[in-house]
Amino acid sequence: LTPEHELVLACCWLNIKEAGLLLGQLVDSVLQNDCDLMTPEEVQSIGRMFVRILTQCRHRGAIESCNIGFLMVCKRLLSHSDANMAAIPAQILDQVLDVISGNRSTSNITRRSAGLPLLVQAITASEPRGNYRPLLGRAVQTLLTTAQLPLSQDEDQTVDIPQVHALNVLRALFSDSTLGAAMLAHISDAVMLAISGFSSPVWAIRNAAMQLYGTLLIRMLGPKHVRDEHSAENTITAREFFTRWPSLRLFLLQQLEEAVGRQGEGRLYLHPGLQPVLILLSKL
């Protein structure tokens, strides 16, 4: 590209970033006192615009700035007294989950699913804090189901597939500190999913599963307190771990038994799930 083209392109990205921030602030201000200056149809149109940007844009800075505006819109809508307004984020979430779990995308492979994780993250993080978070529960269950969909025989690895999107979105949800406590109930299922993903024949799924697993280790064990990986300060006891997540005891044991059983085949074989299991056990 010539310098002139680069300048025009940079201005386009800046325009999208500032427009997203401005629109989010505008909706937040207009709906602050439950006034009727905006109709539900107009707000739905704004929501569709945010979804279009976050799903089709490939500029990370523009995506993140627009997501800030979208987060402001979601928080304001979920606290709105009008039931039609308050239901809009759930409608957008259903549309996004349908895109994730539907047929494969026609676009090329994107870096960590582009803005899809941010869309789901913004809507679920905007829910009022408490024990009852229906949008988060619906999203996680749909993502877990999508990530376990069987692969077709002629899977094209040059396009995004639903399983990869689901793993990337789950990673974003577990990384969000505002969702930390609410996501603890789903850790066992996510760990089983991530370790199983190491055995996938598709590289993109293995890569996404590895990133999800790294996030889960931090969420379960906490950040490192000292530099030494195996220091007692960076670990928790096995009793404490399996008391929190009892269903993982049998799963980890099955993974180890399968890995040991395959060693008797008379050839060098390393079970894909062995390394993540040993990494986890070494932290206990």
Side-chain angles (χ1 to χ4, degrees), residues 18-270:
E18 297 303 323
L21 288 170
L22 176 61
L23 194 55
Q25 186 64 57
L26 179 64
V27 174
D28 183 50
S29 300
V30 170
L31 300 181
Q32 188 168 8
N33 298 315
D34 291 350
C35 61
D36 56 355
L37 293 178
M38 279 187 177
T39 65
E41 291 74 20
E42 291 172 336
V43 178
Q44 288 174 345
S45 177
I46 293 173
R48 286 192 295 269
M49 189 210 71
F50 274 114
V51 171
R52 189 180 307 115
I53 293 175
L54 291 171
T55 54
Q56 298 181 8
C57 185
R58 295 294 180 264
H59 190 283
R60 190 67 185 179
I63 289 175
E64 292 177 348
S65 295
C66 285
N67 186 63
I68 295 174
F70 182 62
L71 182 62
M72 289 190 287
V73 172
C74 291
K75 287 183 176 180
R76 181 57 58 195
L77 289 175
L78 287 172
S79 62
H80 203 281
S81 60
D82 187 343
N84 292 326
M85 289 287 196
I88 292 176
Q91 296 169 3
I92 296 176
L93 178 62
D94 288 338
Q95 295 170 5
V96 174
L97 292 177
D98 186 60
V99 170
I100 294 174
S101 59
N103 295 326
R104 66 180 64 177
S105 171
T106 57
S107 63
N108 293 330
I109 287 180
T110 54
R111 183 174 176 82
R112 293 190 293 275
S113 298
L116 284 174
L118 294 178
L119 272 171
V120 179
Q121 190 176 357
I123 297 173
T124 54
S126 300
E127 277 189 293
R129 296 190 179 187
N131 294 329
Y132 182 63
R133 305 188 71 160
L135 297 183
L136 178 62
R138 185 192 315 173
V140 173
Q141 290 304 318
T142 301
L143 293 169
L144 289 172
T145 301
T146 301
Q148 299 177 70
L149 290 175
L151 295 169
S152 62
Q153 295 296 327
D154 56 343
E155 197 67 60
D156 185 359
Q157 299 193 32
T158 63
V159 296
D160 289 319
I161 57 177
Q163 294 87 339
V164 174
H165 283 320
L167 290 169
N168 287 331
V169 176
L170 283 170
R171 176 176 175 269
L173 295 180
F174 279 106
S175 300
D176 192 336
S177 58
T178 62
L179 299 174
M183 293 298 294
L184 289 177
H186 306 287
I187 278 188
S188 294
D189 292 334
V191 169
M192 297 178 192
L193 174 66
I195 293 179
S196 300
F198 279 71
S199 303
S200 174
V202 179
W203 177 88
I205 292 180
R206 297 196 301 271
N207 182 56
M210 179 183 64
Q211 295 184 52
L212 172 60
Y213 190 65
T215 299
L216 291 171
L217 287 179
I218 296 175
R219 183 60 64 193
M220 291 187 294
L221 307 175
K224 290 198 301 183
H225 300 288
V226 295
R227 180 173 298 180
D228 184 6
E229 289 281 349
H230 302 290
S231 171
E233 296 185 33
N234 291 331
T235 63
I236 63 175
T237 64
R239 181 184 297 274
E240 179 184 358
F241 180 86
F242 290 114
T243 299
R244 293 181 182 178
W245 301 287
S247 60
L248 288 179
R249 181 193 295 269
L250 180 59
F251 175 78
L252 296 177
L253 179 60
Q254 291 173 341
Q255 292 292 310
L256 290 174
E257 290 177 342
E258 184 177 349
V260 172
R262 297 295 295 271
Q263 294 300 320
E265 296 181 359
R267 59 185 177 85
L268 183 61
Y269 177 82
L270 180 62

Side-chain angles (χ1 to χ4, degrees), residues 4-21:
E4 290 79 9
H5 284 90
E6 291 180 353
L7 177 61
V8 171
L9 186 59
C11 290
C12 290
W13 292 130
L14 288 173
N15 185 35
I16 293 176
K17 291 170 58 177
E18 297 303 323
L21 288 170

